Amino acid sequence: MKIKCNICNILPVILSILILIITIIITNNNPQEQKSILSLIAVPGDNTTVGTTIIKFSKNEIEIGTAMTHTVGSDTININESGIYQISYQIFGERQTFGTYNFNAVILVNGVVLDDTQNETPILKDNVINRMTKTSTVILRLNAGDTLQLGTITVEDIIFDRARIDIEKIY
């Protein structure tokens, strides 16, 4: 009977040690990938070009990880790690004169427009100064060394006063 009690006392200790060892092995074999997030802001004065332009960002609001980088004041985001990226943006366009109003926002990779990312405003014809905010989210497979830009396409006299782009490496 005394032998059974010793086994009963030792068994929980052995099971606890076994669970701890298994947990350590699983944790070491499945390391968590560090998050990489980049949020950029364009404010009035950053983009003074009227019409079609590539958006410049003067504020790096959130920078976590090293998968992508941006130099303040530039229009280019550098991709440092291959992977799948979720890209969300909003861009505010304001017509400077009366008349027809329309603009498109688009993502460029390595200076090439990705047609399937084009986001178009409705065509407005009115006797007021029109303004509109475009928003979109896309998921792209990008490679280390790629560059990313947010562009606008329009034939109207529009200034893009404010913009924001948020990028997260999701895989």
Side-chain angles (χ1 to χ4, degrees):
M1 190 121 167
K2 191 161 179 139
I3 293 176
K4 287 184 180 180
C5 283
N6 285 340
I7 292 175
C8 291
N9 289 338
I10 295 174
L11 190 58
V13 172
I14 292 173
L15 285 176
S16 295
I17 292 172
L18 186 59
I19 289 171
L20 180 62
I21 291 171
I22 290 171
T23 303
I24 290 170
I25 290 171
I26 290 172
T27 302
N28 286 339
N29 289 332
N30 296 315
Q32 294 270 335
E33 188 173 324
Q34 181 184 353
K35 289 275 187 193
S36 283
I37 299 171
L38 184 62
S39 292
L40 309 176
I41 307 287
V43 298
D46 287 352
N47 298 287
T48 57
T49 301
V50 175
T52 299
T53 191
I54 302 295
I55 301 299
K56 294 180 184 118
F57 297 94
S58 65
K59 289 179 159 184
N60 290 6
E61 187 164 272
I62 300 172
E63 294 179 271
I64 298 172
T66 58
M68 60 237 138
T69 54
H70 171 260
T71 301
V72 170
S74 79
D75 61 13
T76 303
I77 299 155
N78 298 302
I79 303 301
N80 303 322
E81 297 175 13
S82 296
I84 308 295
Y85 290 79
Q86 179 172 302
I87 303 159
S88 299
Y89 66 83
Q90 66 183 49
I91 185 166
F92 175 79
E94 186 169 353
R95 175 104 167 114
Q96 300 302 297
T97 57
F98 295 117
T100 304
Y101 176 88
N102 175 255
F103 79 87
N104 303 308
V106 68
I107 302 278
L108 295 87
V109 174
N110 300 323
V112 177
V113 171
L114 299 180
D115 289 332
D116 60 345
T117 67
Q118 186 169 332
N119 187 3
E120 188 172 340
T121 63
I123 296 174
L124 301 176
K125 294 183 180 185
D126 214 338
N127 287 329
V128 296
I129 295 179
N130 291 304
R131 58 193 172 278
M132 187 173 294
T133 301
K134 297 296 302 162
T135 61
S136 187
T137 299
V138 297
I139 296 176
L140 298 175
R141 181 183 306 274
L142 299 170
N143 297 307
D146 284 348
T147 59
L148 189 70
Q149 295 172 303
L150 177 60
T152 62
I153 304 168
T154 184
V155 295
E156 319 301 342
D157 294 330
I158 299 172
I159 287 185
F160 301 96
D161 242 3
R162 297 184 309 267
R164 177 183 183 104
I165 190 166
D166 300 295
I167 307 166
E168 180 180 0
K169 183 179 181 203
I170 59 175
Y171 184 72

